[in-house]
Amino acid sequence: MGKQFITEAKRLQKLAGIKETRFDTTQIKDLLNRINSYSGKTFIWFDTETSGFTFDRPLQITQIAAIATDSEGNKIGQFNEKAKLEPKIAKAAEDPESGVSKALQINRYADDTSIKREQQIILSDFVDWVNSFPNPILLIYNTPFDMEVFNTVSKDKKLKSTTLDVMKIAQYFWIPLQQQLAEKGNGRSIEILNKLGTSGSSNLVGSTLGKVANSLGIDNSQAHDAFGDVIMTSGIYREMLKDLEQHQDTEIDKEYRRGRIAADLKFKRKDKENRERLKKLGNYTVK
């Protein structure tokens, strides 16, 4: 593996906010060994829904959902709450064409008519809930967004647990494996790649939660509800591990990763520029 590739992979690992899991290896067996080292931890499958997708507008967490399991997948607890809209968010939502209004429509916020508590209370309770389990590790689909939005919005307690980005497992191991198998004529892999399709100007294989779930035959009808996304993430993870374990002696061809690394590094640079701009405008809270 070239030095430049290792450097880029380590930078990507930092971008993902992952404390322990390494993505600078092309050996599936190395990844599985790392995952197996988590056997004594409590797996917390975690997702958030928000009032938007960037920090350049009013933003709050509207839903937090999580399922706690042991490393074998046995459920030992769950957390699922929607937060009351803060005044500035409620005001922004009055405009049906606003980004806030559209985000709330996508995550079906209004469909839940149950009593909703204040956002900060829910955030604090969630941190306490996570820390009530022995050796928690957070498994998230797209770790950077959920961890950053939580720790930026929360005024009191922060999430400090080890994280494992299930999306990066898909992008850096599972999807490249399917590409290699498809080149050898594997019918199932060809079908999976056809369902995933491509996305973005970089023409990369699609890796959104809903697309990956669909390609694996997992129900994605509850996408964009945090609890539904948590269930999908758990199902995707376990199905991907089956494939990776079956082909654990395979080395991922780094050519299948180059486009992904380039796209992520481009996003990182753009994200950094946006942060600096928003800090100057006073719209971004530094952690």
Side-chain angles (χ1 to χ4, degrees):
M1 192 189 308
K3 181 178 180 181
Q4 181 64 26
F5 180 72
I6 294 175
T7 301
E8 290 179 339
K10 287 182 176 178
R11 289 172 66 186
L12 179 61
Q13 179 183 338
K14 183 177 180 181
L15 166 66
I18 294 172
K19 297 177 183 178
E20 296 185 17
T21 305
R22 294 167 58 90
F23 291 114
D24 58 349
T25 175
T26 55
Q27 299 288 342
I28 293 176
K29 188 173 293 185
D30 291 342
L31 173 68
L32 294 177
N33 287 338
R34 174 64 63 174
I35 290 173
N36 289 336
S37 73
Y38 296 146
S39 61
K41 291 183 177 290
T42 302
F43 282 26
I44 307 288
W45 308 89
F46 165 55
D47 187 57
T48 65
E49 296 298 332
T50 67
S51 61
F53 308 104
T54 65
F55 290 90
D56 60 351
R57 63 186 65 178
L59 182 70
Q60 77 160 91
I61 289 176
T62 56
Q63 183 184 10
I64 294 178
I67 295 175
T69 72
D70 60 24
S71 57
E72 299 300 316
N74 301 304
K75 183 177 176 181
I76 55 179
Q78 75 175 50
F79 189 106
N80 185 19
E81 287 205 48
K82 289 189 176 180
K84 184 186 300 183
L85 294 183
E86 295 185 341
K88 61 183 179 182
I89 302 299
K91 182 174 179 59
E94 292 176 0
D95 177 4
E97 297 302 316
S98 70
V100 170
S101 182
K102 291 176 181 179
L104 296 178
Q105 291 174 26
I106 290 172
N107 60 37
R108 300 185 292 280
Y109 178 85
D111 292 352
D112 186 348
T113 58
S114 62
I115 296 175
K116 300 176 177 69
R117 297 192 296 153
E118 297 291 340
Q119 174 190 216
Q120 294 301 325
I121 294 174
I122 294 174
L123 299 180
S124 178
D125 285 353
F126 181 69
V127 174
D128 290 341
W129 181 81
V130 169
N131 292 335
S132 71
F133 295 100
N135 302 315
I137 178 172
L138 300 174
L139 291 93
I140 309 169
Y141 206 88
N142 192 8
T143 295
F145 180 81
D146 292 282
M147 289 296 284
E148 179 168 17
V149 74
F150 190 102
N151 287 331
T152 299
V153 170
S154 180
K155 296 178 180 178
D156 183 15
K157 301 172 183 177
K158 310 295 184 182
L159 284 173
K160 298 180 180 179
S161 303
T162 298
T163 61
L164 177 60
D165 195 333
V166 178
M167 184 175 75
K168 292 305 175 193
I169 294 176
Q171 293 176 333
Y172 276 71
F173 292 93
W174 183 73
I175 289 174
L177 173 64
Q178 301 309 319
Q179 292 174 295
Q180 289 179 218
L181 293 175
E183 282 201 347
K184 297 178 181 179
N186 185 292
R188 176 175 176 270
S189 295
I190 293 172
E191 182 180 355
I192 284 174
L193 293 174
N194 285 336
K195 288 182 178 179
L196 289 174
T198 58
S199 59
S201 58
S202 54
N203 206 37
L204 295 172
V205 175
S207 59
T208 61
L209 180 62
K211 282 188 174 182
V212 174
N214 179 60
S215 75
L216 287 168
I218 297 170
D219 179 23
N220 64 1
S221 62
Q222 296 304 306
H224 303 299
D225 172 85
F227 196 73
D229 287 349
V230 162
I231 293 173
M232 276 195 291
T233 299
S234 174
I236 285 170
Y237 174 85
R238 300 195 184 286
E239 289 302 313
M240 288 194 303
L241 280 196
K242 290 179 184 177
D243 284 346
L244 294 173
E245 287 170 352
Q246 182 179 353
H247 300 278
Q248 61 182 284
D249 293 325
T250 300
E251 179 175 3
I252 298 300
D253 187 336
K254 62 185 179 183
E255 292 301 321
Y256 291 118
R257 285 183 165 185
R258 289 192 186 279
R260 187 75 64 182
I261 289 174
D264 283 341
L265 291 176
K266 180 178 179 181
F267 172 82
K268 181 182 178 181
R269 287 191 293 270
K270 183 177 179 181
D271 187 52
K272 182 179 180 180
E273 292 171 358
N274 286 337
R275 289 166 187 268
E276 294 303 320
R277 176 176 60 83
L278 295 174
K279 286 175 187 177
K280 291 178 180 178
L281 294 174
N283 293 340
Y284 184 81
T285 303
V286 181
K287 291 188 286 182

